[in-house]
Amino acid sequence: MKRLCQNLPRRPVSRYSLTFILTVLSCSCPALGKKKLYIGALFPMSGGWPGGQACLPAAQMALDLVNNRTDILPDYELELIHYDSMLSYGSSSPALSNRQRFPTFFRTHPSATLHNPTRVQLFQKWKWTKIATIQQTTEVFTSTLDDLEERVKEAGIEISVRQSFLTDPAVAVKNLKRQDARIIVGLFYETEARKVFCEVYKEKLYGKKYVWFLIGWYADNWFKIKDPSINCTVEQMTEAVEGHVTTEIVMLNPETVRGASNLTSQEFLAQLMSKLGGKNPEETGGFQEAPLAYDAVWALALALNKTVGPLRAKGHRLEDFNYNNRDITAEIYRAMNTSSFEGVSGHVVFDAQGSRMAWTLIEQLQGGSYKKIGYYDSTKGNLSWYGNDKWIGSGPPADQTVVIEEFRYLSQKLFVSVSVFAGLGILLGIVCLTFNIYNSNVRYIQNSQPYLNNMTAVGCMMSLAAVFPLGIDGLHVHRKQFPIICQFRLWLLGLGFSLAYGSMFTKIWWVHTVFTKKDEKKDKKKHLEPWKLYATVGVLLGIDILSLMIWQIVDPLHITVEKFTREAPKGDLDVLIQPLLEHCNSEKMNTWLGVVYGYKGLLLLLGIFLAYETKSISTEKINDHRAVGMAIYNVAVLCMITAPVTMILSSQQDASFAFASLAIVFSVYITLVVLFVPKMRRLITRGEWQSDAQETMKTGSSTNNNDEEKSRQLERENKELQKIIQEKEERVSELRNQLSERQALRSRRRASTITNQNHSPPPFSITQSDPRSLAPPPGYPAPASDPHPVPQSFANSSSLYQSDSKISRNKCHTSRLQLLYK
């Protein structure tokens, strides 16, 4: 027997070789009978994962069967040279699929990336479009995750969170919790898995809201193994891992078929158990991967057997193999690449990267033990589902917190209440307008400029009508019609304010202009022409119309939706409420509002100033200007408070509507009551509308307001003087009677005195015409006081006659005026 060739050329072995590496290191050495082909193998017999404990016996079983077969390599005998690789990771690393780095590498253990098509299929089955990942920072898991990222991207699935750790997963798990990860793919070894789920328990990142996807090649009781590196109990770990899903390559053919080795999978297990000497499979490293080692030997043997004929035709032999012989290498590569047979691990076939194509087993931890819930054939894209998956909740959880968009609408109770007040205000405006029009011929109403008051009433009703579109939102109309409502709000409120406040402002403006000059002589010559009042209102109204038209043409109103902070609903629901609020807005809303509010604010401030300046003026030309001033005070204060407050409260629909609408209602009510109620009261209590109507029928309408007022004032004075004259005449008649009685009494007394003194001549004579003749002569004492003195009213009779003459003059003056008007 020829000695084994020395100094075999060595190729660097990847540090991440999984279970074991099985490559042909063969050299040919002459032997008696059969030629030997030496196969070099590395089996991890110790370390974190001693997979060689079961894989080496399986490989030896396969070699014995191959060497005993006469139809496979009849001229050769395969001999295994193995070493303890001290590797605990395995040859599932995706890096080994890189043909540039490993051009002739094949493996019966599928690549770790073979889990990813199964994961993507499950994501799609459960309608998940957002996942999270957490990985241990090693090359095998990084490569696997990179492949997963490409596959989910093609499937329209997003990796929203990607976390990694080296030794301590605490921070990574907290980040998953903070970023609301729900569907989490974990890529780490078994020892790190215990650390991860201890932190998962602490962060409460488990339960009906979460699903974890783990690697399926952990031990079945991995979460129950006591680990000094964690501080969680077995019960806590069991609670945290409940319901997680694993994916693992099918390493044992589930079907009872005989493959290339003429053994079924169950027969293989029986022989393996016998070779292991009755060891507990769960305590034997690599027991699950043993079928892969078995089929690896068969794959190599069948490939070498397939190359014998082609090599012989080219003048080559297998024993002539070395790494520099490209012909032999190419033939072996071609044979391996086209391998296809039934093995104890299932159908053995390799992809273009030399990785095994196999089925994937899907399991779920239910009640502390793993249950098979399905298989996935990645070669055909076929998912076999048992339908026995169980969930802690009612079904698979959502891949993210379900956000329910909920529009905030105005309180209907508030809307109805304010609408009732607005409707009553409109009725009040109609009453006031009707009253003003009906009594427009009454002198007192005419002197209040009734047409301006009519404009005020109409403007108030339009402002109240704006309350209704202010309260209409998406609850009442479709979103497409909402911009129309926005237009109604703007135009009704803008034009209503211009008419109502503009007419009052016009009155106070002209009162200030005409009646606040120091030269009284010039004031008497000034006349308040009505067309100037109407023109002023028209200018104010035209400015508003023009500005609103420019606004709507340049930057029309549209709907914008404001989003608020998400809210958790009541109850244990895995949803969040996303409050939304519709606004009437434009691109430069703040600019337009600044212009409008600035213009209106100046009018309000100027109105307050003019009302203050004219508060002491008394004029009959506009007899209600004091009431107008009071209304301006109230409107200005409410408007200047409401405008900024509603802008601040724009995100609170109830408060904003209540503040704006009630300000409108109160302003209108105050204006209507202050302007019209006193007029109604005066006309009703004094009955002026009847007398004025009668006089109007007799004399017709006057063309000069000042002359008519003077005439009416003289008429009222004449009536009062007539009453005084009648009272004075009655008093004069009474005094005359008293005077007659006194004169008769004195005549009788004088006659009696003359009779008694007939015998003596009188010392002096008495004449009736001279009252002084009654005085006693010099030297005589004064007579006793008259027991019947003349009344004081008689002494004042001359003043009464003077009053009679003044009254007569007034009568004459009144008569002349009446003739003038006639």
Side-chain angles (χ1 to χ4, degrees), residues 246-283:
T246 64
T247 56
E248 176 53 14
I249 305 304
V250 176
M251 299 182 183
L252 188 67
N253 195 339
E255 299 178 359
T256 306
V257 295
R258 295 186 182 274
S261 65
N262 200 27
L263 291 178
T264 64
S265 57
Q266 298 302 320
E267 291 173 348
F268 164 75
L269 288 180
Q271 292 184 15
L272 179 61
M273 290 294 295
S274 175
K275 197 168 187 67
L276 291 175
K279 292 182 179 180
N280 186 358
E282 293 184 0
E283 298 177 356

Side-chain angles (χ1 to χ4, degrees), residues 113-275:
T113 58
L114 192 63
H115 297 261
N116 292 335
T118 306
R119 291 168 179 151
V120 173
Q121 186 70 21
L122 293 178
F123 297 157
Q124 293 176 335
K125 173 180 174 56
W126 288 320
K127 297 179 175 60
W128 292 330
T129 59
K130 183 179 291 187
I131 65 171
T133 63
I134 178 173
Q135 66 157 111
Q136 186 179 356
T137 52
T138 60
E139 197 276 340
V140 60
F141 299 131
T142 302
S143 302
T144 303
L145 190 54
D146 291 341
D147 178 77
L148 177 63
E149 188 170 6
E150 293 179 1
R151 293 178 183 272
V152 297
K153 186 176 181 181
E154 293 176 357
I157 301 173
E158 174 190 2
I159 297 181
S160 59
V161 184
R162 184 168 178 172
Q163 295 292 319
S164 61
F165 66 94
L166 184 60
T167 56
D168 186 4
V171 175
V173 173
K174 289 181 180 179
N175 289 337
L176 291 175
K177 177 72 172 181
R178 185 175 63 253
Q179 298 184 44
D180 193 34
R182 297 302 184 88
I183 313 303
I184 308 169
V185 178
L187 301 176
F188 31 71
Y189 291 109
E190 181 178 322
T191 53
E192 278 67 26
R194 285 189 283 270
K195 296 179 183 179
V196 169
F197 275 88
C198 184
E199 297 299 327
V200 166
Y201 177 82
K202 295 175 183 177
E203 296 295 330
K204 303 300 179 185
L205 201 63
Y206 65 92
K208 65 180 182 179
K209 297 181 181 180
Y210 306 94
V211 176
W212 282 83
F213 282 80
L214 302 181
I215 302 171
W217 40 259
Y218 299 161
D220 288 347
N221 62 342
W222 64 271
F223 54 90
K224 297 180 181 179
I225 298 175
K226 293 184 179 180
D227 192 337
S229 63
I230 63 174
N231 56 359
C232 294
T233 64
V234 174
E235 291 75 15
Q236 292 172 343
M237 292 290 291
T238 303
E239 182 180 353
V241 300
E242 179 64 24
H244 77 265
V245 178
T246 64
T247 56
E248 176 53 14
I249 305 304
V250 176
M251 299 182 183
L252 188 67
N253 195 339
E255 299 178 359
T256 306
V257 295
R258 295 186 182 274
S261 65
N262 200 27
L263 291 178
T264 64
S265 57
Q266 298 302 320
E267 291 173 348
F268 164 75
L269 288 180
Q271 292 184 15
L272 179 61
M273 290 294 295
S274 175
K275 197 168 187 67

